[in-house]
Amino acid sequence: MERTKFTLDEERIPRAFYNIAADLREAPPPPLHPGTGQPIGPADLAPLFPMELIKQVVSTEREIEIPDPVRRAYAMYRPSPLFRAHRLEQALDTPAHIYYKYEGVSAPGSHKPNTAIAQAFYAREEGVKRFATETGAGQWGSALAFAGALFGIEVKVYMVRASYDQKPYRRILMETYGAQVVASPSPDTHYGQQLLAQDTGHPGSLGVAISEAIEDTVTHPGTKYSLGSVFDFVLLHQTVIGQEAIEQMAMAGEEPDVIIGCVGGGSNFAGLAFPFIGRQLRGEASYRFIAVEPEAAPSLTKGRYEYDFGDTGQMAPLVKMHTLGHDFVPPPIHAGGLRYHGMAPLISKLVDDGLVEARAVHQTATFEAGVRFARAEGIVPAPESNHAIRAAIDEALAAKAAGQRRTILFNLSGHGHFDLAAYESYLAGSLEDFQYVPSKQSSDSKEMAEVAA
Amino acid sequence: MERTKFTLDEERIPRAFYNIAADLREAPPPPLHPGTGQPIGPADLAPLFPMELIKQVVSTEREIEIPDPVRRAYAMYRPSPLFRAHRLEQALDTPAHIYYKYEGVSAPGSHKPNTAIAQAFYAREEGVKRFATETGAGQWGSALAFAGALFGIEVKVYMVRASYDQKPYRRILMETYGAQVVASPSPDTHYGQQLLAQDTGHPGSLGVAISEAIEDTVTHPGTKYSLGSVFDFVLLHQTVIGQEAIEQMAMAGEEPDVIIGCVGGGSNFAGLAFPFIGRQLRGEASYRFIAVEPEAAPSLTKGRYEYDFGDTGQMAPLVKMHTLGHDFVPPPIHAGGLRYHGMAPLISKLVDDGLVEARAVHQTATFEAGVRFARAEGIVPAPESNHAIRAAIDEALAAKAAGQRRTILFNLSGHGHFDLAAYESYLAGSLEDFQYVPSKQSSDSKEMAEVAA
């Protein structure tokens, strides 16, 4: 019987996070203080994050040990399985071999708990009692709510109002884990009150919710801010994915030619790709890497690589990244996790260096890929993951056209159980595609960046 | 690091179903023809089921080989993990060891694909083009839709209207797999038309939907009927669960004292318990077995053990089982999969023989257990599974009160991602408990049974 699933024993959960900083020839430019425009130091970040995370950001050690309690919590769903997509290959009639690493096996349903668990553990060790965070579609909020329940930390989630109203199940999931969830903009912060005063029906955005969570953090003693993407330490924690995948591809007896992940803030792509990129940087192997983003929020393919704010309220540090401007509000695509104006600085740098290819796809094409995948492989993917599937299928079809064997590996970052309304729209033929229209904000942001730099 | 998860390699997917008929001292009484009241033969079942399934029902071989294509499809999610519930044990401060077998890892989210895949494979081998089936809450319908997609068989699902209206996500999941779903009663069958003529807003019931699916089957050439519980062959296919669990408990170095599962039709309980019951029947070991049912549909604890119809329309065979009467419509508890008037004949027999204890619990108590479980173990369980968790927690607390080590194993039959509205009601304190009120139907059914016998 040809193998379908490559599983690793609990013992094989990685013992260290892989820190790509150790292998980069040149570090990305430093983050700048949002007020002063000066390079930011540990003291500036201390009000927001546990000290251990700040240390991780400045570390250049290749391996950062994973504490035992974190590995024990990972054991609830890690090592995650690697699958060979035999049925999808047959359906595509392609000579390509397609593999996917499936992160939807975590209880909250995505790769997000990989960092939520680590952040909650370090926070508890430092006496933190409460987290404030933002969430869009809810994947991140439910991951942190889950981790908070495991480590006894209260969690307050600012959930973008549009999602809060449209996705009650995600909210209930967070509440079931014991988190407190409010629609953002909320009356619980000054920034939220200001926005509500202007527009009582403000639909919110990720940028706004980040600003509220940061304000909550700095105004509540014992509270730290937690975030689920973009920042270096988040990407670091996600590298457990790629480390396991390297072992599992070895079990399968193959090396991937192409490695694919979807990108919003960049953490699931980084999680799979960084350990492979490390190999390439060390001259041990060579791969193609493809980061797939939505046409509706194409920061890598249409944004500028420059300093910008991570949030709308300009409270988060300025980082050099591919950005559409911090005021850009992405159109309402169903892949809520990819609706972000910026990109992780580490990924931006790798794209700028030419190590990672960027590709943008329209949502209808991603759902076409997702339904094809579901009917072949059984799993109904998250709308975000459908972006990776689209690119994987396109690579497999290109291999077929070229009469080539090609080994494709992609990250199936989560399941779509809370996104079935989007599938209904697709099946009914009523899903819309959105063209990216640059807004005046991107030039504003350039001015601001020039001021900052 | 103390182990949390016991995983088996793909190679360890069982190679045979375990047929409990080989070990029972006395077979359950035979099914009777719904029209004649005479024992039913293979020829009577042939219009409904693939011949291979009919053969399995009459087999007394202990092992029935699992075909390779079925094992390959199982490999998409099997072997399922066995977990030690360390965090729940700590939360309960109990000396008991609690283990659970987690079947929610299948793509449709429950144990149901174990039989759906087998049924779809045998059907395809015999040239079947189309399945008709019923579903209540939708776990079964989505499992068959999934299996149909894998084996290229069309699937028509009659979904109880109340669920169809309340659980659109389950319907969309089935449609994403390519199934056709209609609300039952439907205009697509004579029986449905009759009921709609009496009441255009008829809410439907599982008994009605079964009748519609059977009528659809016998009136459409190339179509077979598929069902997800009660029947012997369904329970047979589920024994992969218990066989894996036996191996995994050996990895953990423990023998369970108590084995627990929830029961509606009985298939998930049987799946876990039968291989252990086989050991006990063969004198190799000794366990306690607890089947947990809802107080609102208490067939084992308050029903009669007698011949009754499996469906409302009296088209299904008469079987001897614990029943509340085939016209009994269980109150609208959230555990839709347990809203059934009868019970698998094999389980009824084992309860009657005193090998299996039956226990009934109220839904509020089950959700209290489910939320406690979710906050400790991360997984938000299906409302059905919460019944097993309630009993497992009660056993763990009893062990604590008695100062006893006790090893508890239960079947976590599925996740609750499509049932979060029920959790919302529970968290809001608005969940209702329903007392069982015997209806006149149960005496009707007794008369009918007397006629039949």
Side-chain angles (χ1 to χ4, degrees):
Chain A
M1 197 165 98
E2 214 179 357
R3 295 196 59 161
T4 297
K5 190 167 64 168
F6 300 88
T7 48
L8 296 169
D9 193 79
E10 181 170 322
E11 289 301 302
R12 307 303 305 159
I13 294 170
R15 293 178 184 276
F17 298 121
Y18 164 66
N19 182 9
I20 197 168
D23 290 315
L24 286 177
R25 258 146 261 165
E26 188 189 39
L32 306 178
H33 191 283
T36 65
Q38 295 303 306
I40 220 162
D44 297 309
L45 294 173
L48 292 183
F49 301 115
M51 195 44 68
E52 183 59 32
L53 296 176
I54 298 170
K55 282 189 201 155
Q56 291 180 355
V57 171
V58 295
S59 167
T60 53
E61 294 294 315
R62 182 170 290 122
E63 298 201 334
I64 294 177
E65 194 189 337
I66 304 177
D68 249 20
V70 172
R71 293 184 70 237
R72 285 187 63 135
Y74 282 168
M76 299 170 89
Y77 63 97
R78 304 211 72 82
S80 70
L82 178 89
F83 288 96
R84 167 88 183 271
H86 288 296
R87 283 180 171 76
L88 180 62
E89 291 169 16
Q90 280 163 27
L92 299 172
D93 187 26
T94 174
H97 289 190
I98 306 174
Y99 291 86
Y100 57 97
K101 180 77 169 158
Y102 185 39
E103 291 292 309
V105 292
S106 77
S110 79
H111 65 295
K112 295 286 185 189
N114 296 332
T115 185
I117 286 169
Q119 291 187 44
F121 167 75
Y122 294 125
R124 189 192 64 182
E125 291 300 287
E126 298 181 23
V128 175
K129 301 287 177 227
R130 182 173 172 276
F131 270 137
T133 197
E134 71 284 344
T135 201
Q139 290 273 25
W140 168 245
S142 34
L144 193 67
F146 161 75
L150 297 183
F151 289 96
I153 295 180
E154 268 182 69
V155 175
K156 168 82 172 267
V157 181
Y158 293 86
M159 184 174 190
V160 176
R161 180 178 297 277
S163 294
Y164 184 93
D165 292 338
Q166 284 161 19
K167 303 202 172 191
Y169 272 30
R170 273 283 173 203
R171 169 181 58 73
I172 304 166
L173 180 60
M174 295 184 253
E175 290 171 348
T176 300
Y177 288 135
Q180 191 200 346
V181 187
V182 291
S184 165
S186 78
D188 297 7
T189 66
H190 289 293
Y191 187 59
Q193 287 162 14
Q194 273 175 36
L195 296 179
L196 290 173
Q198 289 159 26
D199 175 5
T200 51
H202 196 301
S205 76
L206 212 45
V208 168
I210 295 173
S211 299
E212 286 204 87
I214 293 179
E215 182 186 325
D216 179 307
T217 302
V218 297
T219 55
H220 287 79
T223 294
K224 294 286 177 188
Y225 173 58
S226 176
L227 84 176
S229 196
V230 181
F231 257 51
D232 293 4
F233 65 74
V234 177
L235 276 54
L236 173 79
H237 301 154
Q238 293 294 353
T239 59
V240 292
I241 301 172
Q243 293 183 69
E244 290 174 7
I246 286 175
E247 246 190 276
Q248 290 164 314
M249 288 303 300
M251 285 169 75
E254 300 208 57
E255 268 282 11
D257 298 302
V258 193
I259 292 162
I260 298 170
C262 64
V263 283
S267 80
N268 100 80
F269 172 82
L272 177 64
F274 278 12
F276 288 97
I277 293 176
R279 281 185 155 186
Q280 180 156 326
L281 290 169
R282 297 192 301 274
E284 297 164 14
S286 173
Y287 313 96
R288 280 175 61 214
F289 298 95
I290 307 177
V292 191
E293 64 184 9
E295 279 280 8
S299 53
L300 287 175
T301 53
K302 303 225 171 77
R304 308 183 193 212
Y305 183 45
E306 62 191 16
Y307 273 98
D308 194 10
F309 296 102
D311 67 329
T312 309
Q314 309 182 14
M315 299 180 203
L318 280 157
V319 290
K320 188 160 181 188
M321 62 180 174
H322 286 85
T323 177
L324 302 164
H326 65 273
D327 282 340
F328 177 74
V329 177
I333 52 169
H334 288 281
L338 309 186
R339 293 183 62 227
Y340 186 61
H341 68 275
M343 182 56 59
L346 279 168
I347 291 176
S348 290
K349 175 88 172 91
L350 291 164
V351 168
D352 195 58
D353 288 350
L355 264 94
V356 170
E357 300 168 32
R359 186 179 294 180
V361 290
H362 274 302
Q363 79 170 346
T364 305
T366 67
F367 275 89
E368 190 272 330
V371 169
R372 191 183 278 205
F373 182 84
R375 291 185 183 175
E377 296 290 316
I379 298 164
V380 177
E384 292 82 1
S385 315
N386 284 343
H387 289 69
I389 297 174
R390 176 74 268 165
I393 289 179
D394 290 343
E395 287 293 316
L397 294 175
K400 179 180 172 182
Q404 247 184 19
R405 239 303 281 285
R406 191 178 295 184
T407 301
I408 300 162
L409 169 63
F410 73 90
N411 198 1
L412 186 62
S413 56
H415 62 63
H417 297 173
F418 300 104
D419 304 286
L420 285 167
Y423 280 89
E424 185 172 39
S425 299
Y426 170 74
L427 293 171
S430 59
L431 208 61
E432 228 183 311
D433 282 335
F434 298 92
Q435 285 300 342
Y436 165 66
V437 181
S439 59
K440 69 163 192 60
Q441 289 86 344
S442 63
S443 45
D444 285 2
S445 124
K446 181 138 187 290
E447 281 160 37
M448 210 142 4
E450 278 160 4
V451 171
Chain B
M1 196 165 98
E2 214 179 358
R3 295 196 59 160
T4 297
K5 189 166 66 167
F6 301 87
T7 48
L8 297 169
D9 192 81
E10 182 171 318
E11 288 300 302
R12 308 302 305 157
I13 294 170
R15 294 179 183 275
F17 298 120
Y18 164 66
N19 183 9
I20 198 167
D23 290 315
L24 286 178
R25 257 146 263 164
E26 188 189 39
L32 307 178
H33 191 282
T36 65
Q38 294 303 306
I40 222 162
D44 297 308
L45 294 172
L48 293 184
F49 301 116
M51 195 45 66
E52 183 59 32
L53 297 175
I54 298 170
K55 282 189 200 155
Q56 291 179 354
V57 171
V58 295
S59 167
T60 53
E61 293 295 313
R62 182 172 289 122
E63 298 200 333
I64 294 177
E65 194 188 336
I66 303 178
D68 250 19
V70 171
R71 293 183 73 236
R72 284 186 65 135
Y74 282 167
M76 299 169 89
Y77 63 98
R78 304 214 71 81
S80 69
L82 178 88
F83 288 95
R84 168 88 182 270
H86 288 296
R87 286 181 168 76
L88 180 62
E89 291 169 18
Q90 280 162 26
L92 298 172
D93 188 26
T94 174
H97 289 189
I98 307 175
Y99 291 86
Y100 57 98
K101 179 77 170 159
Y102 184 39
E103 291 292 310
V105 292
S106 77
S110 79
H111 66 294
K112 295 286 184 189
N114 297 333
T115 184
I117 286 169
Q119 291 187 45
F121 167 76
Y122 295 125
R124 190 192 63 181
E125 291 300 287
E126 298 181 22
V128 174
K129 302 286 179 226
R130 183 174 172 273
F131 271 136
T133 197
E134 71 283 342
T135 201
Q139 291 272 25
W140 168 245
S142 32
L144 193 67
F146 160 75
L150 297 184
F151 289 97
I153 295 179
E154 269 182 67
V155 176
K156 168 82 172 266
V157 182
Y158 293 86
M159 184 174 192
V160 175
R161 180 177 298 276
S163 294
Y164 184 94
D165 292 339
Q166 283 161 19
K167 302 203 171 190
Y169 272 30
R170 273 281 174 203
R171 170 180 57 75
I172 304 166
L173 180 60
M174 295 184 253
E175 290 171 348
T176 301
Y177 288 135
Q180 192 200 346
V181 186
V182 291
S184 165
S186 78
D188 299 6
T189 67
H190 289 293
Y191 186 60
Q193 287 162 14
Q194 273 174 38
L195 296 178
L196 289 173
Q198 290 158 26
D199 175 4
T200 53
H202 195 300
S205 76
L206 213 45
V208 168
I210 296 173
S211 299
E212 286 204 88
I214 294 179
E215 181 186 325
D216 178 307
T217 303
V218 297
T219 55
H220 287 80
T223 295
K224 294 286 176 187
Y225 173 59
S226 176
L227 84 176
S229 195
V230 182
F231 258 50
D232 292 5
F233 64 75
V234 176
L235 277 55
L236 173 79
H237 301 155
Q238 293 294 353
T239 59
V240 293
I241 302 172
Q243 293 182 68
E244 290 174 7
I246 285 175
E247 247 190 275
Q248 289 164 313
M249 289 303 300
M251 285 169 74
E254 299 208 58
E255 267 282 11
D257 298 303
V258 194
I259 293 162
I260 298 169
C262 64
V263 283
S267 79
N268 99 80
F269 172 82
L272 178 64
F274 279 11
F276 288 96
I277 293 176
R279 282 185 155 185
Q280 180 156 325
L281 289 169
R282 296 192 301 274
E284 296 164 14
S286 173
Y287 313 96
R288 280 175 61 214
F289 298 96
I290 307 177
V292 191
E293 64 183 10
E295 280 280 7
S299 54
L300 286 175
T301 53
K302 302 225 172 77
R304 308 182 193 212
Y305 183 44
E306 62 191 16
Y307 272 99
D308 194 10
F309 295 102
D311 67 329
T312 310
Q314 308 182 16
M315 299 180 205
L318 280 157
V319 290
K320 190 163 181 187
M321 62 180 175
H322 287 84
T323 177
L324 302 164
H326 63 274
D327 282 339
F328 176 74
V329 177
I333 53 169
H334 288 282
L338 309 185
R339 293 183 64 226
Y340 186 60
H341 68 274
M343 183 55 60
L346 278 167
I347 292 176
S348 290
K349 174 88 173 92
L350 290 163
V351 168
D352 195 58
D353 289 350
L355 264 94
V356 171
E357 299 168 33
R359 185 180 297 182
V361 290
H362 274 302
Q363 80 170 344
T364 305
T366 67
F367 275 89
E368 191 272 330
V371 169
R372 190 183 278 206
F373 183 84
R375 292 184 184 175
E377 296 290 316
I379 298 164
V380 176
E384 293 82 0
S385 314
N386 284 345
H387 289 69
I389 297 173
R390 176 74 270 164
I393 289 179
D394 290 344
E395 286 294 317
L397 294 175
K400 178 181 174 182
Q404 247 183 20
R405 238 305 278 286
R406 190 178 295 185
T407 300
I408 299 163
L409 168 63
F410 73 89
N411 198 1
L412 186 61
S413 56
H415 62 63
H417 298 173
F418 301 104
D419 304 286
L420 286 167
Y423 280 89
E424 185 170 40
S425 299
Y426 170 74
L427 294 170
S430 60
L431 207 60
E432 228 182 311
D433 283 335
F434 298 92
Q435 286 299 343
Y436 166 65
V437 181
S439 60
K440 70 163 190 64
Q441 290 86 344
S442 62
S443 45
D444 286 2
S445 124
K446 182 140 186 287
E447 281 161 37
M448 212 142 6
E450 279 160 3
V451 171

